[in-house]
Structure formats: C-alpha cells, structure tokens
Amino acid sequence: MKKKLNLLLLACCCSVAANAQTDNFKKLDSFFDALAANNKAMGSIVIRQNGQTVYSKATGFRGYKAGEKIPSTPATIYRLGSISKVYTAAIIFQLIQQGRLTMETALSKYYPAIPNAADIKIKHLLNHSSGIFNITTDSTYTNWYKTGLSKNEMLKKMAGHPAVFNPGTSTRYSNSNFILLGYIIEDISKKTYQQNLDELINKKTGASHTYYFSKTDAAKNEAYSYAYENNQWEEQPETHQSIPHGAGAIAATAEETALFMEQYISGNILSRQWTDTVITGVKQLGYGIMKFTFDTLTGYGHNGAIDEFRSTAFYLPGQKIAMAFLSNGINYQLNDIMNAATKIYLQQPFTIPTFATIELKDADLAKFNGVYSTDKFPLKITIDHKEGKLLAQATGQMQFSLDAQSPTIFANEQFGVVLEFVLTNGDTVKEMILKQGGAAVSFTK
C-alpha cells in the first residue's frame, strides 16, 4: 500500500510540475506576442535545457512577397552580428589545440603593417586589448559598408589608423580584432572561413543552417532587417559580408545558435583545458565571450548587432540552460527582453508590460522645448516636438522620439531612456530628470 501511495504522490508532483511549465510557456507566448503586437520586437527565441529544446517561438515577419508580409518561423535565418566572434574564437582555439599557433603568436607574423603588430599577440586580439583602431568607426564607413572592400583594402584602412593604446595596457571593443582573426584562420588553414566553420563547428554541432552570409535571399528563409520609423517597420540597407568577416558575418537560426553556445561553453567543442581557459578569461572583455548575470545566475555568451538585426545567445552552466533570441526588428531594450524571458522560464515573478502610451497635442509639448544641461557632465540635451511626438537630441548624437507615458513622463524603450519633467506653476519646467540604466540625472533648462 505504501509503494502505491508513493507512486501516486510522484505522479501528482510530476503533473503539477508539468502544468507549471506549461503555464510558463503560455506566459512566454503572451510576452512575445505583446512585443510583436506593440511593434516592440520581432524575431525568434529558443530555450534549451539539459540538451533538449524546450521552447521555440517566432513572431513578426522576415520580408515581403507581392506586398504581403512573410511570417517568420523558428526556421528563419538571421544575421548574428557580433555573436559571430564566439564562432571565430572557437575556431582559433581549435587551431591552437592543433599546435598551428599559440596565444603568444605575434600579429606581425601575418600582418606586419598593422601598428604595433610585433607587440600584438593572438590573446590581445581575442580579448580586445590590442589597441587596434575599430575599423567600423572609420569616418568614411558609410561610403563602403554596403558595397564591400577587398581584404587588401580592409587591411590598408586598418593600417592607416594609429594605435588607440599600447597592447595589453587597456581594453576597448574593436571589430578589427576579429576581422584579423578571421583572416588568420584562412591564412593558416588555406581554406575559406566557411570551410573552417563547417569543419570545426557545424560538423561537431550538427548545424546545417549556420553559414557566412551573402546578399539576403528570401528563398532561403533569410530575414531582412527593419527599423521602426514613421509608425511602421521600414527595411534597412545591408552590410556587405566582406566588412564584418570574422567579427560578424555569420547567419543562423535561433535553434542552431542556442545549440552552438550550449556545446561551446559546456565543453563539447574544445578540450576541457581550453574551455576552462575561455571561461576563466572573462574579465572585462573575455576571449570572444562575455559574462551574463541574471540576479544570482551566471552565464556566458555574446550579443550582436548588424544593420537592424539584434541578437543575444548565452549558456547558464549551473542550470544547463541555453537561450538565443535573434531579431530582425527591435524597438525595445534587448537586455530587458532576455531578462523577462529568463524570469518567466525560471518561474520568477514578472508582469508583462502593457506598453500603454497616451496621445498629446503639440500645444501640450511646446513647454518642454529648449536646451537642457547638467553639472554632472558636459553633454547637453535639446528637446523639441513634432506632430505630437517629443524629440530629444544629445550633443553629437542622433535625434530620437519618445512616447508619452503621462503628461510629463516620456520614454524611448529601444534606448532604455526615460525623461521626466518636473513642473512649477502649471506649465513652467523646473527640471528634467534623465533615467537610464538605473541612474537618474537632473538637468536644468
């Protein structure tokens, strides 16, 4: 009788757990549906745990056909942006395992024209401590990012900029580091980046839809990227694959991205020794990966951005959870989306936002117009309005719009910015409070 009772209790517990998980999946559906319905984000998310995919969802559209939107699916392929750096690092570490180079190999062995090449080591490229100028911030970048450049042209541009600092003395994120690592992979192997990706990554993970991208092809289920402008999603120009190379030229599905991150961080691509080196190397900017924290949980992965694609993928070793979210249009904070998804999946309290805004007339907004400053830093913010929208522009930056959450509180959720105006005597602005990233700074008009 006792054995039957224990079996009955076990069955009840399993049923409760299954129902709780089902409720969380429904809540995840509701959250991502709300993002899509309010034009906050579209894309594909995958959650894996204990080596199995437990949740997968796609929202929004990947393009148009005959004027009609083509819905995205879990099989839709997105450009990964800087998540590609993790793949490049994984290939480099395998070449090191094979004895074909070392962490101390000098860049001058391959590209001596780069400033400080003799003192820049492979490890400096991997953790962004090389001091090499970030070529994607070149003042002429917008003239050639869509048409592309040859390898020699890219190298000439990199060599034409002085070093930002001496190798190993500081850290600063630079796409140039991983573009060069991608070139070195091809130089050592005498194979293309794609061939290395297939042989050293895809063959191990079983991926068949992870590749070095070219011009977007809708027939291959590839997504175009969109920016939310003028109250609609507008297609954006494409970066030519020759520009990001090993720093950002991979496209994949969310499923295969999550699988790769899981396999890489859990030690199924590199030897245990080198996997440990990758993880322990995460200080400020690690060897191709970064540390992610969710309350008390720690994970490893990377974010990505190219054109209007935004992506994130990470693995939580303690929970054996891998998550990837690939978006081809986002009007919200990426970190807020993944924090929410993580909380919902782990059954932690989370309230789905209503995304409620109110409409104000130009006459209601005119009182906020002006230039605001603070003694905290030299940056000034110019406030204006147009067609019922409040507009803000910080010194040297682009202008952006904010939605009215109340008559005196405005937010741009894509940038995580909230402006709160404190009024006196009805319509006179006493101060403007800028809230971003947990900080609040008072500005005067």
Side-chain angles (χ1 to χ4, degrees):
M1 186 67 177
K2 186 178 289 186
K3 289 183 178 179
K4 290 182 179 179
L5 180 60
N6 287 343
L7 287 172
L8 180 61
L9 288 172
L10 180 61
C12 289
C13 289
C14 289
S15 177
V16 170
N19 288 337
Q21 194 65 77
T22 299
D23 289 343
N24 286 342
F25 292 156
K26 290 180 179 178
K27 192 170 183 179
L28 281 167
D29 284 344
S30 296
F31 174 60
F32 282 96
D33 286 343
L35 289 172
N38 289 278
N39 296 309
K40 299 302 180 185
M42 54 184 181
S44 298
I45 182 171
V46 164
I47 302 175
R48 292 173 56 85
Q49 187 165 26
N50 297 319
Q52 300 292 326
T53 295
V54 295
Y55 182 79
S56 178
K57 183 178 178 63
T59 61
F61 61 95
R62 62 181 177 86
Y64 289 90
K65 183 176 182 180
E68 296 294 325
K69 293 178 181 178
I70 307 171
S72 296
T73 71
T76 296
I77 296 165
Y78 304 81
R79 295 187 175 193
L80 300 185
S82 287
I83 292 178
S84 304
K85 292 179 173 67
V86 189
Y87 291 80
T88 296
I91 295 171
I92 284 288
F93 277 117
Q94 289 182 75
L95 295 178
I96 292 174
Q97 282 182 189
Q98 296 169 11
R100 304 175 78 173
L101 79 166
T102 73
M103 293 284 274
E104 299 298 324
T105 299
L107 178 61
S108 56
K109 181 176 180 179
Y110 304 99
Y111 302 108
I114 301 295
N116 290 335
D119 297 320
I120 296 172
K121 314 299 182 185
I122 293 298
K123 65 182 181 183
H124 295 139
L125 298 174
L126 285 166
N127 67 7
H128 296 285
S129 64
S130 70
I132 299 174
F133 176 81
N134 184 3
I135 196 61
T136 57
T137 63
D138 183 285
S139 61
T140 64
Y141 180 74
T142 55
N143 296 335
W144 40 266
Y145 83 98
K146 290 183 286 187
T147 55
L149 295 175
S150 68
K151 178 179 176 179
N152 286 337
E153 289 172 329
M154 284 290 285
L155 288 168
K156 185 177 180 180
K157 283 190 175 295
M158 290 185 203
H161 289 278
V164 179
F165 54 82
N166 290 327
T169 63
S170 185
T171 57
R172 183 177 296 184
Y173 194 88
S174 173
N175 286 302
S176 300
N177 293 317
F178 279 78
I179 294 171
L180 289 167
L181 286 170
Y183 292 163
I184 290 170
I185 287 170
E186 294 178 327
D187 293 338
I188 291 175
S189 65
K190 306 303 180 185
K191 298 176 182 177
T192 65
Y193 187 94
Q194 179 66 62
Q195 289 172 318
N196 280 279
L197 184 63
D198 285 335
E199 294 175 14
L200 298 178
I201 304 295
N202 293 342
K203 187 176 180 180
K204 294 186 176 184
T205 64
S208 57
H209 296 92
T210 298
Y211 50 80
Y212 189 93
F213 67 68
S214 56
K215 186 174 177 58
T216 299
D217 185 350
K220 294 180 180 179
N221 206 1
E222 295 176 348
Y224 295 89
S225 76
Y226 296 84
Y228 195 70
E229 300 173 345
N230 304 314
N231 295 318
Q232 63 182 350
W233 292 108
E234 297 188 357
E235 186 178 326
Q236 299 299 298
E238 296 183 357
T239 297
H240 191 273
Q241 66 270 22
S242 64
I243 304 304
H245 201 268
I250 293 179
T253 62
E255 171 74 32
E256 291 189 357
T257 307
L259 173 64
F260 163 72
M261 203 64 71
E262 169 191 292
Q263 294 290 301
Y264 184 48
I265 304 302
S266 62
N268 293 325
I269 291 179
L270 304 179
S271 68
R272 189 69 254 174
Q273 171 197 349
W274 283 107
T275 299
D276 290 343
T277 298
V278 169
I279 293 175
T280 57
V282 181
K283 304 295 189 230
Q284 293 184 50
L285 293 170
Y287 294 135
I289 62 169
M290 300 176 182
K291 182 181 287 186
F292 285 65
T293 56
F294 301 94
D295 294 329
T296 60
L297 307 181
T298 299
Y300 301 93
H302 214 290
N303 291 336
I306 186 168
D307 305 325
E308 288 302 316
F309 292 96
R310 298 293 182 268
S311 57
T312 187
F314 55 86
Y315 181 66
L316 304 172
Q319 293 68 39
K320 296 184 178 179
I321 294 173
M323 298 181 70
F325 176 60
L326 310 183
S327 173
N328 64 321
I330 195 165
N331 187 28
Y332 200 68
Q333 284 283 289
L334 179 62
N335 287 343
D336 289 346
I337 292 174
M338 296 314 292
N339 278 325
T342 304
K343 285 183 176 181
I344 294 171
Y345 179 67
L346 294 175
Q347 303 177 31
Q348 297 175 359
F350 178 76
T351 301
I352 297 174
T354 61
F355 304 108
T357 60
I358 64 173
E359 292 186 8
L360 296 176
K361 298 178 180 179
D362 284 344
D364 300 319
L365 300 173
K367 58 178 168 285
F368 303 121
N369 290 359
V371 179
Y372 294 76
S373 62
T374 177
D375 57 5
K376 303 295 183 183
F377 41 79
L379 176 140
K380 294 181 180 181
I381 298 177
T382 300
I383 300 297
D384 200 354
H385 72 278
K386 183 179 181 180
E387 298 177 354
K389 284 283 188 180
L390 195 73
L391 305 173
Q393 184 171 23
T395 305
Q397 300 181 25
M398 68 177 187
Q399 187 181 66
F400 59 91
S401 64
L402 301 102
D403 294 319
Q405 297 182 335
S406 82
T408 58
I409 299 176
F410 303 82
N412 182 297
E413 292 170 328
Q414 181 180 3
F415 301 135
V417 173
V418 174
L419 296 181
E420 180 177 353
F421 295 88
V422 180
L423 303 180
T424 60
N425 301 322
D427 286 342
T428 303
V429 178
K430 178 181 178 182
E431 66 174 327
M432 179 185 76
I433 303 172
L434 167 66
K435 300 177 181 179
Q436 187 176 32
V441 181
S442 176
F443 284 73
T444 56
K445 191 173 180 179

